[in-house]
Amino acid sequence: MNYENILVEKENGISVITINRPTKLNALNKATIEELHNAFEAENNDKSTKVIIITGSGEKAFVAGADISEFANFSVDQGAELAAKGQELLFDFVQNLSTPVIAAVNGFALGGGLELAMAAHFRVASENAKMGLPEVTLGVIPGYGGTQRLPQLIGKGRAMEMIMTAGMIDAKTALNYGLVNHVVTQEELLNFAKDIAAKITKNSSVAIAKAIKVINDNYVDGVNGFQSEIKAFGESFGTADFKEGTTAFLEKRKAVFPGE
């Protein structure tokens, strides 16, 4: 599939989706959100894709925010629809994807950019990365899940401060807060993410998909994560991956998972 605003490259079961709007610091407009949805959906449906890395083009920005010019004149109803559709198409979609998603944050991740990074299953960052949710400087609040995911990741107090002050934090602070898992140089970033992805590809994609769902269930109102875990654990025993994994262990060899 051909895209105007993103690039997709795949090698050894790892797909790299790059947001490619360098003149706009990779800002998220409507077209880019739709293309990202289509790309994530296509890669998730491709059995050969074991891990997805999302990053931005260039060295300045992962995603510097949303394209404000698209919604500056929106009404109340249009604003609510913008948030609802964006969350459905991209942010919630990525969080609940059965294929692991790693965000490689290569510079500014602001507003919708940080919200996209937080929707990924975990994050690595370059040393020059800056992260923040500056929406209140525009008289609005984060609308793509930022008020929900940021407290989950760094705690309520720190999230309140970041959102209220609209301040940015650097990569070292993000690492200290637990917002990112690792910080490396700009030059190392993508290969570092690929190295983690390569470790993931060796494991059961079926088990990983179940683990993602069960972990996410812990944050869903009315869902008992422990019960979800018990159910998914039991279901694992009926998979070809379980049979291969346990057989390989007993035969003292490396498993070759069929992904079924």
Side-chain angles (χ1 to χ4, degrees):
M1 187 178 294
N2 294 322
Y3 301 105
E4 291 186 8
N5 301 298
I6 65 175
L7 305 171
V8 181
E9 299 175 321
K10 185 188 299 186
E11 186 178 8
N12 299 324
I14 302 168
S15 291
V16 179
I17 299 175
T18 303
I19 301 166
N20 189 35
R21 301 185 74 214
T23 60
K24 298 287 188 179
L25 293 178
N26 302 325
L28 293 177
N29 60 358
K30 181 180 177 181
T32 304
I33 287 175
E34 290 178 352
E35 286 191 2
L36 283 168
H37 169 84
N38 292 335
F40 275 111
E41 185 175 49
E43 294 308 311
N44 192 54
N45 290 336
D46 185 342
K47 193 175 179 181
S48 69
T49 299
K50 303 299 181 183
V51 183
I52 300 169
I53 297 171
I54 177 71
T55 193
S57 63
E59 297 184 353
K60 289 185 178 180
F62 172 71
V63 173
D67 196 332
I68 297 167
S69 63
E70 284 197 336
F71 59 80
N73 297 314
F74 273 18
S75 67
V76 170
D77 289 343
Q78 287 174 314
E81 183 182 0
L82 177 73
K85 187 172 182 181
Q87 289 191 32
E88 178 186 358
L89 272 181
L90 184 58
F91 301 87
D92 290 350
F93 187 77
V94 168
Q95 176 176 292
N96 293 301
L97 216 64
S98 58
T99 303
V101 179
I102 303 170
V105 182
N106 57 308
F108 288 107
L110 304 176
L114 180 55
E115 288 172 307
L116 177 58
M118 291 192 294
H121 298 128
F122 60 91
R123 290 143 293 284
V124 297
S126 58
E127 292 173 335
N128 66 318
K130 303 280 188 182
M131 298 167 223
L133 295 175
E135 285 85 350
V136 296
T137 66
L138 300 173
V140 71
I141 68 170
Y144 288 144
T147 63
Q148 306 305 299
R149 292 189 181 96
L150 189 61
Q152 291 172 2
L153 290 166
I154 71 172
K156 182 180 177 181
R158 283 171 170 164
M160 286 281 196
E161 181 179 352
M162 281 185 65
I163 291 170
M164 289 180 187
T165 63
M168 289 188 293
I169 60 173
D170 60 20
K172 183 178 179 181
T173 304
L175 181 64
N176 181 51
Y177 281 5
L179 185 53
V180 301
N181 290 21
H182 306 277
V183 175
V184 297
T185 65
Q186 178 75 253
E187 294 74 22
E188 294 174 308
L189 180 64
L190 194 54
N191 284 334
F192 186 86
K194 287 180 178 179
D195 286 344
I196 297 176
K199 294 176 182 177
I200 295 172
T201 64
K202 297 176 183 178
N203 300 319
S204 164
S205 58
V206 175
I208 288 170
K210 289 183 181 297
I212 290 170
K213 181 183 184 305
V214 170
I215 292 168
N216 283 338
D217 278 353
N218 183 57
Y219 298 95
V220 179
D221 287 341
V223 176
N224 186 315
F226 289 100
Q227 289 301 316
S228 293
E229 180 183 277
I230 291 168
K231 182 175 182 289
F233 179 79
E235 290 172 349
S236 299
F237 283 70
T239 68
D241 275 11
F242 174 76
K243 184 175 182 180
E244 166 60 14
T246 52
T247 300
F249 177 82
L250 294 172
E251 293 178 352
K252 295 182 171 56
R253 62 175 174 82
K254 291 185 178 180
V256 181
F257 293 107
E260 299 174 349

